[in-house]
Amino acid sequence: MSGSNLEHWSVAVNGVRLHSVVAGDGPLVLLLHGFPDFWYGWRKQIPALAEAGFRVVAPDLRGYNLSEKPKGVRSYALRTLASDIAELVTASGAERAAVVGHDWGGGIAWAFAMAHPEKLSRLAILNAPHPERLLRALRTPRQLAKSWYMFFFQLRGLPERFLRAGGYRRLLQPMLDEARPGAFTDEDLARYREAYDQPGALSAMLAYYRAMFLRGVRVPLRPVEAPTMVVWGERDIHIGRELATPRADLVPDARVEFLPDASHWVQADEPDRVAALLVDHLRPLRA
């Protein structure tokens, strides 16, 4: 979706320049993509949210596609990524924003909600467990087996060569295998390859995983008071359904919507359903 109604915007926040696409007018909604995605992963939800009366900003997270790619693994620590989003809210001319995140974008959204609650109006998470659930699960053999790639990505150089081979086949093939047939077209795959080809992008994308094991970079667990919706594609082969529901004392106002026929790529598998759920969850902001 190139979209004649999309505005491309570049802004300096937290020491890096982020590229975003912007659409619509109204209360601010930030859409945070995951790995190995970029803003384009929200191509099917941006028009629906804009038409529903929201100002939508979908950034390329630092290191991805057209956003700046700072050197060093510590530049991609979760606390820093959350600060990027806090400054993006201010740069967008708003005091607060609704934040929607998928996969790694969901992890950043959880961190932002705990570190910058004063800037959050509503939260929506797609197939990204609350950090407390994830850390607990990573102590179990079952989840460790599912998350083997996180440890492979800790190597230097080899993962880049492995993922770049065959026109990024090993990055793209899981998306095709896991999502519904037709969820990703040849045109979509070409857009992804173009994003991965940006100088320094692949190492920057992997730095998110490499920064997970640094000391002193986690955001302290605090209750998320903002109304929260979790949308979960149950055919996610990476993260079990049991991780979808956050602990009640950490997210007291939580609603969980399970989509039985959707994969980890839930917004590509069921774009209209996901858009409708988001509009419904965010509608009180327009009151």
Side-chain angles (χ1 to χ4, degrees), residues 38-278:
F38 64 113
W39 75 262
Y40 189 74
W42 298 107
R43 62 196 176 280
K44 298 180 180 179
Q45 285 75 43
I46 293 171
L49 290 167
E51 289 167 10
F54 298 100
R55 178 166 176 78
V56 184
V57 176
D60 290 327
L61 299 175
R62 66 163 60 197
Y64 279 84
N65 191 35
L66 300 181
S67 286
E68 193 173 350
K69 301 160 183 64
K71 302 293 185 182
V73 170
R74 192 165 288 273
S75 297
Y76 299 88
L78 191 56
R79 185 176 295 177
T80 300
L81 301 172
S83 295
D84 286 355
I85 305 310
E87 292 198 17
L88 185 59
V89 174
T90 302
S92 300
E95 294 183 1
R96 299 196 302 167
V99 177
V100 181
H102 171 247
D103 184 80
W104 253 108
I108 296 169
W110 283 122
F112 169 78
M114 292 185 288
H116 304 278
E118 75 286 353
K119 290 184 174 289
L120 179 67
S121 55
R122 288 196 161 227
L123 181 67
I125 302 290
L126 280 61
N127 281 70
H130 186 280
E132 183 273 337
R133 292 288 196 218
L134 180 60
L135 291 172
R136 186 181 297 272
L138 284 174
R139 301 188 186 108
T140 67
R142 180 183 180 188
Q143 188 59 49
L144 281 172
K146 291 182 176 182
S147 302
W148 64 269
Y149 58 90
M150 294 185 182
F151 302 96
F152 172 62
F153 289 167
Q154 300 309 307
L155 302 174
R156 293 297 190 271
L158 178 60
E160 281 89 338
R161 293 194 296 273
F162 178 80
L163 295 174
R164 189 175 288 114
Y168 304 100
R169 176 176 57 84
R170 294 185 180 97
L171 276 177
L172 297 171
Q173 196 62 47
M175 297 163 62
L176 296 173
D177 291 344
E178 297 163 20
R180 287 182 182 174
F184 295 100
T185 67
D186 289 344
E187 179 185 353
D188 295 335
L189 299 183
R191 296 290 294 268
Y192 281 101
R193 290 189 183 94
E194 183 179 356
Y196 303 155
D197 264 341
Q198 296 298 320
L202 195 54
S203 290
M205 292 159 61
L206 292 172
Y208 280 64
Y209 290 96
R210 292 165 177 164
M212 288 176 64
F213 296 91
L214 297 175
R215 292 185 177 183
V217 299
R218 291 180 181 170
V219 173
L221 292 179
R222 299 189 181 101
V224 176
E225 302 295 342
T228 300
M229 178 178 68
V230 176
V231 179
W232 202 272
E234 293 192 55
R235 293 195 299 107
D236 192 326
I237 66 172
H238 305 285
I239 314 170
R241 181 186 193 275
E242 68 277 7
L243 302 186
T245 304
R247 218 170 70 187
D249 61 322
L250 291 175
V251 192
D253 188 358
R255 159 192 175 190
V256 182
E257 297 282 348
F258 290 104
L259 302 187
D261 297 323
S263 71
H264 180 75
W265 306 98
V266 58
Q267 73 269 48
D269 283 340
E270 298 202 25
D272 295 338
R273 177 64 175 150
V274 169
L277 286 169
L278 292 176

